[in-house]
Amino acid sequence: MPANGWRPRPHQQGLWNYFNDPVTKKFDGTGKRASAIMHRRWGKDEIALNMMGKASVTRPATYWHMLPQAEQARKAIWTAVNPHTGRRRIDEAFPHDWRTTTLENEMFIRFKWGATWQVVGSDNYQNLVGTPPAGIVLSEWSKAHPAAWAYLAPILVENKGWALAITTPEGRNHAHSMHLNWAANPKYYAELQTIEDSMRLCKAGGFEPTVTLEDVEVQRAEYHAMFGPDAGDALIQQEYWCSFTAAILGAYYGKQIEAAENAGRVCGLTPVKGYPINTAWDIGVDDPMAIWVFQAGPGWLHILDYIEGSNEGFDYYCNWLDERGYRGGVDWVPHDAKQREPGAPGARTRIQTLFSLKRNPQLVPDHKPMDRINAGRRLIPLAHFDEDRCEQGLNCLRSYKQEWDQVNRVFRKTPKHDHASHGADAWGHLAVAVEFPKPIADKPKPRPANQITVNDLLKMHKPERKWA
């Protein structure tokens, strides 16, 4: 192993050696967490597939290769064909003579030594059944649902398993936070390679690079034609120079959040005494619940906190707010709060449940999705955000973007529904609902008599009208 004589190229060697003993060449199981932020066409899934084969022999167990969506996983991994060989990628990494079972519909393989490997999506991680995994590859992790890791991490800890997150950046989101966190742990592995890094490593090892700067310029010209020069260059910086700060293509709030950071409005905040603390909600049951906590005063808006979770009742979120002293203001909720809450005594509406928990819910004014997006854009330049407590919410705003129509190669007029949607929708509800208290306007000073015109006199004198 690996199959078919595959060996890591020089630019892949560091990641390979973290999981495989460089002397014995065996997958030794000591590496537990690795974050690989790599440019496009680096070979991320290729190295992961070949590593999974070795891992399955060292420790016969369950292994998952997870992509953001199950359907995407089928196209990118399960049915994908290597253009250089004309063979399916999984057949190259896992030859048929290794297997006892191959289930096409479930994207599942059972090996002769008892281990299993399956392609899954982070969009349905809660519905995955069977033996908990001992190893997981989080492919395209920057595009995946971050809640998947919160669900999977305790499983890996219990199983003494490992995880490899491989991705290209897409803004400063959960993949960026995970990379920084794992880089700070000496037992974990974190590496970022730009195209220039991989070219240098390949040439030093006597190999031709898999992708060159000339290839990138060809891609740049295509991006310019599709998205324009500015967006095209930003996409090149993101995908080939692994920039976390390049604007996300189609992002609704990217420029506004960047401007807020540059202006120092993402900072440390404490509640202002004398002003009520309000909340704005996006309500979900199976989907996540998202809540922004804020205060507003004459000409200012402070965003104090953000919480997001799933599969919890209203009592959980209300207790969370109460424990932090977040009360006294209005709890702005969307119109679906008028629906009856599943499992509530007497089938109460969600608003009634909030009232019973001593909250003060009010419906956000009725609006269309683009109304709240436009209101959200206008509101960000007026707001200060707490940089620590609002980190997850800010990541949602950075990542919230238009849906891309791959067939027609245009952006749709609707937002993409993904992990960023709920936080962004809650922000839109806040923007639609909030009303700034206006400072008292100064009374106009009386004008000198010699400056009063006839029109002024007519406006000042309105004779009483009498009716016959």
Side-chain angles (χ1 to χ4, degrees):
M1 291 186 173
N4 298 305
W6 185 91
R7 295 294 180 269
R9 295 167 67 87
H11 66 292
Q12 300 169 325
Q13 198 68 55
L15 178 60
W16 185 261
N17 288 347
Y18 175 71
F19 286 104
N20 297 271
D21 189 296
V23 177
T24 65
K25 310 299 183 184
K26 293 182 178 180
F27 187 95
D28 57 15
T30 58
K32 297 301 181 185
R33 302 289 184 270
S35 171
I37 307 294
M38 307 303 186
H39 64 81
R40 289 286 172 219
R41 296 163 63 186
W42 184 88
K44 297 183 286 293
D45 286 310
E46 176 189 49
I47 192 173
L49 289 172
N50 284 285
M51 191 177 71
M52 280 283 199
K54 295 190 71 174
S56 70
V57 173
T58 303
R59 181 184 176 185
T62 297
Y63 296 92
W64 288 347
H65 196 112
M66 177 176 283
L67 272 86
Q69 296 177 328
E71 189 56 36
Q72 175 193 10
R74 180 175 293 279
K75 294 177 181 178
I77 301 297
W78 188 256
T79 61
V81 174
N82 184 338
H84 302 291
T85 64
R87 299 179 61 196
R88 285 175 68 175
R89 299 176 74 177
I90 60 169
D91 292 341
E92 289 184 328
F94 313 131
H96 284 281
D97 58 7
W98 289 11
R99 315 178 199 173
T100 61
T101 306
T102 302
L103 302 178
E104 290 285 339
N105 289 340
E106 298 179 23
M107 298 185 285
F108 173 92
I109 290 174
R110 183 180 300 279
F111 299 109
K112 291 180 177 179
W113 42 88
T116 66
W117 176 86
Q118 189 172 12
V119 183
V120 298
S122 72
D123 53 342
N124 66 344
Y125 64 90
Q126 294 164 307
N127 298 325
L128 297 171
V129 296
T131 307
I136 303 175
V137 171
L138 304 167
S139 183
E140 293 288 359
W141 177 233
S142 63
K143 300 178 185 295
H145 200 307
W149 179 245
Y151 175 82
L152 296 170
I155 296 174
L156 292 179
V157 171
E158 182 180 355
N159 291 345
K160 295 180 172 55
W162 55 267
L164 166 60
I166 50 176
T167 192
T168 300
E170 189 169 271
R172 288 167 49 190
N173 60 7
H174 57 280
H176 177 255
S177 301
M178 176 183 282
H179 187 77
L180 294 180
N181 180 270
W182 290 5
N185 190 324
K187 295 182 179 180
Y188 294 172
Y189 182 89
E191 183 181 11
L192 183 150
Q193 271 189 37
T194 69
I195 182 173
E196 292 176 323
D197 295 330
S198 66
M199 287 179 61
R200 174 177 48 79
L201 290 168
C202 281
K203 289 180 179 179
F207 282 75
E208 285 297 318
T210 55
V211 59
T212 66
L213 294 178
E214 289 76 16
D215 297 326
V216 173
E217 291 310 310
V218 172
Q219 186 69 71
R220 187 192 301 273
E222 182 179 343
Y223 285 165
H224 280 194
M226 293 173 63
F227 310 119
D230 292 342
D233 288 343
L235 195 54
I236 288 292
Q237 284 297 119
Q238 173 182 287
E239 298 207 333
Y240 290 98
W241 274 266
C242 297
S243 171
F244 285 103
T245 59
I248 297 174
L249 196 64
Y252 287 111
Y253 301 133
K255 292 181 180 178
Q256 290 80 6
I257 295 297
E258 183 180 6
E261 290 178 316
N262 293 338
R265 289 186 286 107
V266 178
C267 53
L269 294 175
T270 55
V272 179
K273 292 183 179 180
Y275 286 86
I277 298 179
N278 311 283
T279 63
W281 301 51
D282 183 63
I283 295 177
V285 179
D286 295 328
D287 283 336
M289 184 95 75
I291 305 171
W292 290 96
V293 181
F294 68 99
Q295 285 182 300
W300 57 267
L301 175 67
H302 286 183
I303 313 300
L304 302 175
D305 213 331
Y306 175 83
I307 181 177
E308 182 176 314
S310 57
N311 297 311
E312 298 286 357
F314 279 91
D315 54 342
Y316 170 84
Y317 298 101
C318 291
N319 287 337
W320 185 91
L321 293 169
D322 290 344
E323 288 172 0
R324 287 155 181 78
Y326 297 153
R327 19 182 355 110
V330 174
D331 299 299
W332 292 103
V333 294
H335 277 254
D336 56 9
K338 293 187 293 185
Q339 297 177 5
R340 300 198 179 277
E341 185 185 5
R348 292 182 304 209
T349 65
R350 293 165 172 177
I351 284 184
Q352 289 172 325
T353 298
L354 286 170
F355 275 123
S356 71
L357 293 168
K358 297 181 171 51
R359 302 301 302 184
N360 181 26
Q362 291 190 33
L363 290 177
V364 171
D366 199 14
H367 62 279
K368 297 178 180 179
M370 283 310 300
D371 292 337
R372 64 172 174 261
I373 290 172
N374 290 329
R377 282 174 171 155
R378 293 192 297 269
L379 193 62
I380 291 173
L382 303 174
H384 285 71
F385 297 84
D386 186 274
E387 60 182 337
D388 295 326
R389 293 189 295 270
C390 295
E391 181 180 5
Q392 184 181 6
L394 287 168
N395 286 340
C396 290
L397 297 185
R398 292 187 187 100
S399 301
Y400 189 51
K401 60 185 178 182
Q402 293 173 277
E403 183 84 49
W404 174 250
D405 187 333
Q406 188 64 40
V407 176
N408 297 312
R409 300 177 79 82
V410 295
F411 283 109
R412 295 180 178 141
K413 295 182 179 180
T414 54
K416 180 179 177 61
H417 185 74
D418 59 12
H419 65 274
S421 302
H422 303 284
D425 285 345
W427 174 257
H429 296 151
L430 188 162
V432 170
V434 70
E435 291 182 4
F436 290 100
K438 296 181 180 179
I440 299 173
D442 294 332
K443 292 183 179 180
K445 296 180 180 179
R447 297 167 65 185
N450 62 356
Q451 295 181 11
I452 297 177
T453 66
V454 173
N455 286 334
D456 292 331
L457 292 172
L458 290 174
K459 291 177 183 177
M460 294 165 61
H461 177 65
K462 294 182 180 179
E464 183 180 355
R465 199 168 202 174
K466 294 183 180 180
W467 299 90

